[in-house]
Amino acid sequence: MQGNGDIQWCFSQVKGTLDDDVTEADIISCVEFNHDGDLLATGDKGGRVVIFQRDPVIWHEVGIGEKLPRKLMEPLYEVESQIRVGRDAADTHNVLGVHNWIVAIVALWKYKTIKLWKVSERDKKVEGYNTKEENGQMRDPSCITALRVPVIKPMELMVEASPRRIFANAHTYHINSISVNSDQETYLSADDLRINLWHLEITDQSFNIVDIKPANMEELTEVITAAEFHPLEFFEEPEDPTNRSFFSEIISSISDVKVSNSGRYMISRDYLSVKVHEYLRSKLCSLYENDCIFDKFECCWAGNDQYIMTGSYNNFFRMFDRASRRDVTLEASREIAKPKTVLKPRKVYQVCTGGKRKKDEISVDCLDFNKKILHTAWHPTENIIAVAATNNLFLFQDKL
């Protein structure tokens, strides 16, 4: 990480308009790479899933008759397919890249339903049908005077999405997380009070493995916020009594948990940590009043398990080196939305909560809490990251 490690990040792409007018339906609610990083999926609160495909090599002229690959310069992702998972403002809460056959699993909050989609690539097409035209229109049988043998012809690569399964009637409360098992056949779905285990081939039956619903709902003291597949033990970090306050139970709620790619490590994220938001303690009253205190920040691992990334307010996002414990704060903003622009670490923008403000520092009172990065994703094998800033998807890459 620039200034604190070995990665120098630069801007690559931004998807979405940079207008100030943002509708609730356009806000990105999930970001995820597939297993090899060639596909990138986003979901929004309007019930849409957009799948981007990486162009492996893009050529550009450097002289007469000369061409050079731009693969290492710009990992360009272009829209390949859109899935409409809801007719109205359903929350597309989770999209998980699994493998070539299962790319998107979508949880619909409004319907408390899970949908499985198959995303496939096609580079050939069939022409010469007897009963229909090339545009798909059915032919008049009386006009068919000869038998044709259909032929397969090459075509431009196309990514197609088709619905395969609907898993319904198993959740009474809003689904908050989905986790696919390493066997690629089973997955977990969790709502506020229950965790169910599903098989991808069985849509009408699941096993309830956790149920914390009390006989009397007035006795409810905790809810489930995230579930992740891994043979884990129970972990709890005791709260420092000196930091106890009215907001303690809210800000200690775990908003995300991720097992590392190697399976050896686990990270969890609550409102103030992975030690990201300590400077917000002085603003908890305001954040409670505007409901921002209930924002659910996610976290993710780098492909090599060395770095952890999570988001913050003011379109800041932070990275931590697991071994050295060094960190860097960066910003996703329209000001840096120019190809190859190097991101400057926001060390000079560290938030000051009181006293004399140093040069180039930004006060906690100047933070824009409407600009927030809740969802991030790291390419499984390369230093390419995707950051969802409200309705925009920013892509950054290692300058090297």
Side-chain angles (χ1 to χ4, degrees):
M1 291 177 286
Q2 186 185 10
N4 292 309
D6 54 359
I7 302 178
Q8 188 178 29
W9 295 97
C10 65
F11 172 81
S12 176
Q13 289 175 272
V14 61
K15 298 294 183 181
T17 63
L18 293 175
D19 299 333
D20 292 326
D21 247 351
V22 181
T23 65
E24 182 76 10
D26 293 330
I27 296 176
I28 297 174
S29 58
C30 54
V31 180
E32 194 76 35
F33 285 99
N34 76 327
H35 74 291
D36 60 7
D38 286 341
L39 296 178
L40 174 63
T42 66
D44 63 30
K45 292 188 175 181
R48 296 176 293 263
V49 175
V50 180
I51 298 174
F52 302 91
Q53 184 175 38
R54 183 179 182 180
D55 195 328
V57 178
I58 295 179
W59 299 89
H60 64 113
E61 298 286 346
V62 294
I64 299 177
E66 295 183 67
K67 292 183 179 181
L68 288 176
R70 202 165 59 183
K71 178 180 178 182
L72 298 179
M73 299 291 289
E74 300 175 22
L76 297 178
Y77 285 82
E78 299 300 336
V79 176
E80 286 296 335
S81 182
Q82 284 198 45
I83 305 171
R84 180 73 182 185
V85 297
R87 293 185 178 178
D88 47 18
D91 183 14
T92 310
H93 192 61
N94 209 343
V95 178
L96 299 177
V98 184
H99 52 68
N100 289 336
W101 294 100
I102 303 167
V103 174
I105 287 188
V106 180
L108 303 184
W109 269 24
K110 185 170 182 178
Y111 305 109
K112 305 177 180 67
T113 300
I114 303 160
K115 289 188 178 181
L116 171 68
W117 298 77
K118 174 185 174 182
V119 179
S120 56
E121 295 178 344
R122 183 157 63 96
D123 59 2
K124 294 180 176 61
K125 62 180 178 179
V126 178
E127 292 185 355
Y129 286 106
N130 289 279
T131 58
K132 63 181 180 181
E133 304 291 350
E134 306 307 331
N135 62 5
Q137 184 177 355
M138 298 304 295
R139 300 177 65 191
D140 183 353
S142 61
C143 298
I144 302 175
T145 58
L147 179 67
R148 296 191 295 180
V149 178
V151 295
I152 298 176
K153 293 187 176 181
M155 60 175 286
E156 187 176 343
L157 184 67
M158 178 189 301
V159 175
E160 298 176 317
S162 57
R164 285 308 176 97
R165 305 276 190 278
I166 296 179
F167 306 85
N169 305 319
H171 285 281
T172 306
Y173 305 95
H174 292 158
I175 299 169
N176 55 44
S177 67
I178 292 177
S179 175
V180 180
N181 196 3
S182 58
D183 63 10
Q184 308 293 292
E185 294 181 351
T186 56
Y187 71 93
L188 296 176
S189 63
D191 63 24
D192 290 349
L193 300 180
R194 295 185 178 93
I195 300 177
N196 293 328
L197 175 64
W198 299 81
H199 193 284
L200 290 171
E201 299 298 326
I202 302 174
T203 61
D204 59 353
Q205 183 180 359
S206 64
F207 294 96
N208 177 247
I209 58 177
V210 175
D211 188 342
I212 63 171
K213 182 179 180 180
N216 182 359
M217 286 296 285
E218 293 182 359
E219 299 174 358
L220 183 66
T221 59
E222 59 184 0
V223 294
I224 299 168
T225 56
E228 178 87 2
F229 244 121
H230 197 277
L232 292 173
E233 297 181 7
F234 180 76
F235 296 90
E236 182 178 6
E237 182 180 1
E239 183 185 16
D240 183 352
T242 61
N243 287 331
R244 186 76 185 172
S245 71
F246 170 80
F247 306 104
S248 292
E249 290 189 6
I250 300 175
I251 63 178
S252 64
S253 173
I254 301 296
S255 60
D256 195 22
V257 58
K258 288 290 191 302
V259 177
S260 68
N261 298 284
S262 67
R264 295 183 60 194
Y265 309 101
M266 180 187 72
I267 54 174
S268 64
R269 173 68 206 265
D270 63 28
Y271 187 69
L272 292 182
S273 58
V274 190
K275 303 305 179 189
V276 176
H277 287 163
E278 274 311 306
Y279 53 79
L280 294 179
R281 286 194 180 275
S282 65
K283 304 294 292 183
L284 289 179
C285 286
S286 299
L287 292 164
Y288 181 77
E289 291 172 357
N290 62 19
D291 284 343
C292 283
I293 201 170
F294 300 106
D295 287 335
K296 296 182 66 175
F297 291 91
E298 295 179 358
C299 51
C300 68
W301 288 94
N304 60 5
D305 292 353
Q306 182 177 352
Y307 303 109
I308 299 166
M309 178 169 60
T310 191
S312 185
Y313 291 110
N314 216 69
N315 280 358
F316 288 170
F317 60 100
R318 297 190 72 179
M319 298 179 185
F320 303 85
D321 188 314
R322 180 181 55 80
S324 68
R325 299 192 178 185
R326 292 178 297 183
D327 66 271
V328 64
T329 300
L330 303 171
E331 182 181 5
S333 67
R334 65 183 70 187
E335 284 73 23
I336 53 89
K338 296 179 182 178
K340 303 177 186 177
T341 301
V342 176
L343 272 66
K344 296 180 180 179
R346 289 311 192 189
K347 185 190 302 183
V348 295
Y349 272 76
Q350 289 299 311
V351 179
C352 60
T353 56
K356 187 176 180 180
R357 184 167 64 91
K358 296 180 181 179
K359 184 181 179 181
D360 294 329
E361 282 186 336
I362 180 173
S363 168
V364 66
D365 294 323
C366 297
L367 292 178
D368 188 342
F369 296 116
N370 291 317
K371 295 180 178 179
K372 61 191 78 172
I373 293 175
L374 303 178
H375 315 283
T376 59
W378 201 303
H379 191 286
T381 59
E382 301 177 37
N383 284 328
I384 301 171
I385 57 175
V387 172
T390 316
N391 66 318
N392 298 129
L393 179 67
F394 287 86
L395 287 167
F396 304 101
Q397 67 176 120
D398 186 345
K399 185 181 179 183
L400 299 178

